[in-house]
Short mmCIF file of all heavy atoms in Angstrom, two decimals:
data_model
loop_
_atom_site.label_atom_id
_atom_site.label_comp_id
_atom_site.label_asym_id
_atom_site.label_seq_id
_atom_site.Cartn_x
_atom_site.Cartn_y
_atom_site.Cartn_z
N ARG A 32 33.80 71.50 -21.48
CA ARG A 32 34.54 71.42 -22.80
C ARG A 32 34.03 72.53 -23.70
O ARG A 32 34.89 73.23 -24.42
CB ARG A 32 34.24 69.96 -23.46
CG ARG A 32 35.02 69.93 -24.75
CD ARG A 32 36.46 69.77 -24.43
NE ARG A 32 37.22 69.68 -25.79
CZ ARG A 32 38.14 70.58 -26.25
NH1 ARG A 32 38.48 71.45 -25.62
NH2 ARG A 32 38.65 70.35 -27.38
N VAL A 36 36.30 75.48 -25.34
CA VAL A 36 36.46 75.97 -26.74
C VAL A 36 36.09 77.50 -26.82
O VAL A 36 36.77 78.11 -27.58
CB VAL A 36 35.35 75.17 -27.55
CG1 VAL A 36 35.24 75.78 -29.00
CG2 VAL A 36 35.74 73.68 -27.63
N LYS A 39 39.21 79.29 -25.83
CA LYS A 39 40.32 79.36 -26.82
C LYS A 39 39.90 80.19 -28.11
O LYS A 39 40.72 80.89 -28.56
CB LYS A 39 40.50 77.88 -27.35
CG LYS A 39 41.63 77.79 -28.38
CD LYS A 39 42.00 76.32 -28.59
CE LYS A 39 43.28 76.39 -29.50
NZ LYS A 39 43.70 75.02 -29.74
N MET A 40 38.59 80.25 -28.50
CA MET A 40 38.19 81.13 -29.53
C MET A 40 38.42 82.57 -29.28
O MET A 40 38.60 83.35 -30.16
CB MET A 40 36.80 80.72 -29.93
CG MET A 40 36.63 79.25 -30.55
SD MET A 40 37.68 78.99 -31.95
CE MET A 40 38.77 77.77 -31.22
N PHE A 43 41.23 84.47 -30.64
CA PHE A 43 41.36 84.72 -32.04
C PHE A 43 40.26 85.89 -32.38
O PHE A 43 40.55 86.61 -33.31
CB PHE A 43 40.97 83.58 -32.84
CG PHE A 43 42.01 82.39 -32.56
CD1 PHE A 43 41.71 81.46 -31.72
CD2 PHE A 43 43.12 82.53 -33.31
CE1 PHE A 43 42.70 80.39 -31.60
CE2 PHE A 43 44.14 81.48 -33.02
CZ PHE A 43 43.82 80.39 -32.16
N LYS A 65 26.61 60.23 -33.78
CA LYS A 65 26.58 61.55 -33.02
C LYS A 65 26.94 62.73 -33.86
O LYS A 65 27.85 62.55 -34.63
CB LYS A 65 27.54 61.38 -31.82
CG LYS A 65 27.24 60.29 -30.74
CD LYS A 65 28.17 60.14 -29.66
CE LYS A 65 27.74 58.97 -28.91
NZ LYS A 65 28.75 58.70 -27.90
N THR A 66 26.24 63.82 -33.71
CA THR A 66 26.55 65.06 -34.42
C THR A 66 26.68 66.18 -33.47
O THR A 66 25.74 66.31 -32.54
CB THR A 66 25.65 65.34 -35.51
OG1 THR A 66 25.54 64.12 -36.44
CG2 THR A 66 25.98 66.45 -36.36
N VAL A 67 27.52 67.06 -33.57
CA VAL A 67 27.64 68.36 -32.81
C VAL A 67 27.98 69.45 -33.71
O VAL A 67 28.78 69.41 -34.69
CB VAL A 67 28.70 68.20 -31.57
CG1 VAL A 67 30.06 68.02 -32.12
CG2 VAL A 67 28.47 69.38 -30.73
N GLY A 68 27.18 70.54 -33.47
CA GLY A 68 27.46 71.81 -34.33
C GLY A 68 27.78 72.94 -33.36
O GLY A 68 27.12 73.04 -32.18
N PHE A 69 28.66 73.80 -33.81
CA PHE A 69 29.04 74.93 -32.81
C PHE A 69 28.90 76.16 -33.75
O PHE A 69 29.65 76.26 -34.68
CB PHE A 69 30.47 74.61 -32.46
CG PHE A 69 30.83 75.06 -31.07
CD1 PHE A 69 30.88 74.20 -29.99
CD2 PHE A 69 31.18 76.42 -30.87
CE1 PHE A 69 31.38 74.56 -28.67
CE2 PHE A 69 31.51 76.83 -29.55
CZ PHE A 69 31.57 76.02 -28.54
N LYS A 70 28.22 77.20 -33.34
CA LYS A 70 28.04 78.52 -33.97
C LYS A 70 28.55 79.63 -33.07
O LYS A 70 27.96 79.67 -32.00
CB LYS A 70 26.65 78.67 -34.53
CG LYS A 70 26.47 79.83 -35.40
CD LYS A 70 25.08 79.81 -35.97
CE LYS A 70 24.88 80.87 -37.02
NZ LYS A 70 23.52 80.90 -37.50
N LEU A 71 29.43 80.45 -33.58
CA LEU A 71 29.80 81.58 -32.86
C LEU A 71 29.26 82.86 -33.47
O LEU A 71 29.35 83.20 -34.65
CB LEU A 71 31.41 81.80 -32.93
CG LEU A 71 32.23 80.67 -32.38
CD1 LEU A 71 33.76 80.94 -32.63
CD2 LEU A 71 31.88 80.46 -30.86
N ASP A 77 28.81 85.11 -39.09
CA ASP A 77 29.09 84.16 -37.92
C ASP A 77 29.90 83.01 -38.51
O ASP A 77 29.87 82.82 -39.63
CB ASP A 77 27.68 83.65 -37.41
CG ASP A 77 26.89 84.71 -36.85
OD1 ASP A 77 27.44 85.76 -36.37
OD2 ASP A 77 25.58 84.54 -36.67
N VAL A 78 30.56 82.26 -37.53
CA VAL A 78 31.33 81.07 -37.95
C VAL A 78 30.62 79.82 -37.39
O VAL A 78 30.12 79.89 -36.29
CB VAL A 78 32.83 81.20 -37.59
CG1 VAL A 78 33.54 82.27 -38.37
CG2 VAL A 78 33.04 81.35 -36.14
N TYR A 79 30.63 78.88 -38.18
CA TYR A 79 29.93 77.58 -37.79
C TYR A 79 30.85 76.43 -38.30
O TYR A 79 31.42 76.35 -39.28
CB TYR A 79 28.58 77.47 -38.51
CG TYR A 79 27.89 76.11 -38.32
CD1 TYR A 79 27.14 76.06 -37.13
CD2 TYR A 79 27.91 75.01 -39.16
CE1 TYR A 79 26.55 74.73 -36.89
CE2 TYR A 79 27.28 73.88 -38.95
CZ TYR A 79 26.57 73.67 -37.70
OH TYR A 79 25.91 72.55 -37.44
N ALA A 80 30.85 75.29 -37.37
CA ALA A 80 31.58 74.11 -37.59
C ALA A 80 30.67 72.95 -37.03
O ALA A 80 30.09 73.24 -36.00
CB ALA A 80 32.96 74.12 -37.06
N SER A 81 30.95 71.90 -37.66
CA SER A 81 30.12 70.67 -37.16
C SER A 81 30.96 69.32 -37.46
O SER A 81 31.81 69.49 -38.28
CB SER A 81 28.64 70.54 -37.73
OG SER A 81 28.90 70.25 -39.14
N ASP A 82 30.67 68.38 -36.75
CA ASP A 82 31.39 67.17 -36.98
C ASP A 82 30.50 65.97 -36.53
O ASP A 82 29.67 66.17 -35.69
CB ASP A 82 32.74 67.10 -36.22
CG ASP A 82 33.70 66.05 -36.78
OD1 ASP A 82 33.44 65.43 -37.71
OD2 ASP A 82 34.63 65.78 -36.03
N SER A 83 30.74 64.74 -37.18
CA SER A 83 29.99 63.57 -36.84
C SER A 83 30.92 62.53 -36.45
O SER A 83 32.03 62.49 -36.95
CB SER A 83 29.06 63.04 -38.05
OG SER A 83 28.06 64.07 -38.21
N GLY A 84 30.49 61.68 -35.57
CA GLY A 84 31.30 60.53 -35.16
C GLY A 84 30.76 59.64 -34.17
O GLY A 84 29.46 59.77 -33.89
N PRO A 89 36.95 63.72 -29.50
CA PRO A 89 37.59 64.06 -30.74
C PRO A 89 36.79 64.96 -31.62
O PRO A 89 37.35 65.84 -32.40
CB PRO A 89 37.96 62.78 -31.41
CG PRO A 89 37.34 61.76 -30.53
CD PRO A 89 36.75 62.32 -29.29
N MET A 90 35.45 64.77 -31.55
CA MET A 90 34.57 65.69 -32.39
C MET A 90 34.69 67.11 -31.92
O MET A 90 34.76 68.08 -32.78
CB MET A 90 33.08 65.24 -32.30
CG MET A 90 32.96 63.81 -33.01
SD MET A 90 31.36 63.06 -32.67
CE MET A 90 30.10 64.32 -32.63
N MET A 91 34.61 67.35 -30.60
CA MET A 91 34.94 68.73 -30.12
C MET A 91 36.24 69.31 -30.55
O MET A 91 36.22 70.47 -30.88
CB MET A 91 34.69 68.72 -28.63
CG MET A 91 33.25 68.51 -28.30
SD MET A 91 32.01 69.78 -28.66
CE MET A 91 32.47 71.11 -27.63
N LYS A 92 37.23 68.54 -30.52
CA LYS A 92 38.46 68.86 -30.88
C LYS A 92 38.67 69.33 -32.41
O LYS A 92 39.16 70.29 -32.80
CB LYS A 92 39.68 67.88 -30.64
CG LYS A 92 41.02 68.16 -31.13
CD LYS A 92 41.58 69.53 -30.48
CE LYS A 92 42.94 69.71 -30.82
NZ LYS A 92 43.25 71.00 -30.76
N ASN A 93 37.99 68.46 -33.21
CA ASN A 93 37.81 68.82 -34.70
C ASN A 93 37.10 70.20 -34.85
O ASN A 93 37.56 70.97 -35.71
CB ASN A 93 37.14 67.65 -35.42
CG ASN A 93 37.87 66.37 -35.59
OD1 ASN A 93 39.23 66.47 -35.30
ND2 ASN A 93 37.28 65.36 -35.69
N ILE A 94 36.03 70.30 -34.18
CA ILE A 94 35.28 71.64 -34.23
C ILE A 94 36.12 72.73 -33.91
O ILE A 94 36.10 73.80 -34.50
CB ILE A 94 34.00 71.50 -33.47
CG1 ILE A 94 33.05 70.51 -34.23
CG2 ILE A 94 33.37 72.93 -33.19
CD1 ILE A 94 31.74 70.30 -33.42
N GLU A 95 36.86 72.65 -32.76
CA GLU A 95 37.73 73.71 -32.37
C GLU A 95 38.66 74.10 -33.44
O GLU A 95 39.00 75.18 -33.68
CB GLU A 95 38.50 73.20 -31.09
CG GLU A 95 39.37 74.29 -30.42
CD GLU A 95 39.93 73.68 -29.18
OE1 GLU A 95 39.25 73.25 -28.12
OE2 GLU A 95 41.20 73.62 -29.13
N ASP A 96 39.33 73.04 -34.03
CA ASP A 96 40.29 73.17 -35.10
C ASP A 96 39.65 73.91 -36.35
O ASP A 96 40.15 74.87 -37.03
CB ASP A 96 40.96 71.97 -35.63
CG ASP A 96 41.85 71.41 -34.55
OD1 ASP A 96 42.19 72.08 -33.54
OD2 ASP A 96 42.10 70.18 -34.63
N LYS A 97 38.41 73.52 -36.72
CA LYS A 97 37.76 74.04 -37.81
C LYS A 97 37.34 75.59 -37.54
O LYS A 97 37.43 76.36 -38.44
CB LYS A 97 36.43 73.26 -38.14
CG LYS A 97 36.63 71.91 -38.75
CD LYS A 97 35.42 71.17 -38.89
CE LYS A 97 35.44 69.76 -39.38
NZ LYS A 97 34.21 69.04 -39.56
N LEU A 98 36.90 75.91 -36.35
CA LEU A 98 36.56 77.29 -35.98
C LEU A 98 37.83 78.08 -36.00
O LEU A 98 37.74 79.22 -36.50
CB LEU A 98 35.91 77.31 -34.69
CG LEU A 98 34.49 76.70 -34.50
CD1 LEU A 98 34.08 76.71 -32.94
CD2 LEU A 98 33.49 77.53 -35.22
N GLN A 99 38.94 77.60 -35.58
CA GLN A 99 40.15 78.43 -35.48
C GLN A 99 40.63 78.69 -36.96
O GLN A 99 41.01 79.77 -37.16
CB GLN A 99 41.23 77.51 -34.83
CG GLN A 99 42.56 78.27 -34.72
CD GLN A 99 43.57 77.51 -33.88
OE1 GLN A 99 43.25 76.67 -33.15
NE2 GLN A 99 44.72 77.95 -34.03
N LYS A 100 40.55 77.63 -37.84
CA LYS A 100 40.93 77.92 -39.19
C LYS A 100 39.98 78.99 -39.90
O LYS A 100 40.55 79.88 -40.59
CB LYS A 100 40.84 76.69 -39.97
CG LYS A 100 41.91 75.72 -39.67
CD LYS A 100 41.82 74.40 -40.41
CE LYS A 100 42.80 73.35 -39.99
NZ LYS A 100 42.56 72.08 -40.63
N GLN A 101 38.67 79.06 -39.48
CA GLN A 101 37.85 80.05 -40.07
C GLN A 101 38.22 81.43 -39.59
O GLN A 101 38.16 82.43 -40.37
CB GLN A 101 36.36 79.63 -39.80
CG GLN A 101 35.83 78.54 -40.62
CD GLN A 101 34.48 78.24 -40.22
OE1 GLN A 101 33.57 79.21 -40.23
NE2 GLN A 101 34.04 77.21 -39.84
N LEU A 102 38.54 81.43 -38.27
CA LEU A 102 38.90 82.79 -37.75
C LEU A 102 40.17 83.24 -38.24
O LEU A 102 40.38 84.38 -38.30
CB LEU A 102 38.81 82.76 -36.12
CG LEU A 102 37.42 82.40 -35.58
CD1 LEU A 102 37.44 82.21 -34.12
CD2 LEU A 102 36.48 83.57 -35.91
N ASP A 103 41.15 82.40 -38.43
CA ASP A 103 42.45 82.83 -38.88
C ASP A 103 42.19 83.37 -40.29
O ASP A 103 43.08 84.26 -40.71
CB ASP A 103 43.44 81.62 -39.09
CG ASP A 103 43.98 81.06 -37.73
OD1 ASP A 103 43.81 81.90 -36.72
OD2 ASP A 103 44.49 79.93 -37.61
N LYS A 104 41.28 82.90 -41.12
CA LYS A 104 41.07 83.47 -42.42
C LYS A 104 40.55 84.95 -42.50
O LYS A 104 40.55 85.54 -43.44
CB LYS A 104 40.28 82.56 -43.21
CG LYS A 104 40.88 81.23 -43.55
CD LYS A 104 39.82 80.43 -44.32
CE LYS A 104 40.50 78.99 -44.61
NZ LYS A 104 39.50 78.11 -45.32
N ARG A 105 40.00 85.35 -41.36
CA ARG A 105 39.42 86.73 -41.26
C ARG A 105 40.43 87.83 -41.31
O ARG A 105 41.53 87.80 -40.87
CB ARG A 105 38.57 86.83 -40.00
CG ARG A 105 37.44 85.80 -40.08
CD ARG A 105 36.57 85.89 -38.85
NE ARG A 105 35.21 85.84 -39.38
CZ ARG A 105 34.26 86.81 -39.23
NH1 ARG A 105 34.61 88.00 -38.44
NH2 ARG A 105 33.09 86.63 -39.64
#
Side-chain angles (χ1 to χ4, degrees):
R32 184 71 181 118
V36 171
K39 185 168 184 180
M40 294 305 108
F43 301 98
K65 300 174 183 176
T66 304
V67 62
F69 212 102
K70 186 173 185 179
L71 300 178
D77 299 336
V78 293
Y79 176 81
S81 65
D82 199 10
S83 296
M90 291 166 41
M91 290 294 287
K92 177 62 177 150
N93 290 340
I94 287 174
E95 185 177 297
D96 293 342
K97 290 177 183 180
L98 291 171
Q99 182 178 341
K100 287 177 186 175
Q101 290 181 50
L102 293 173
D103 284 343
K104 292 179 183 179
R105 297 179 137 241

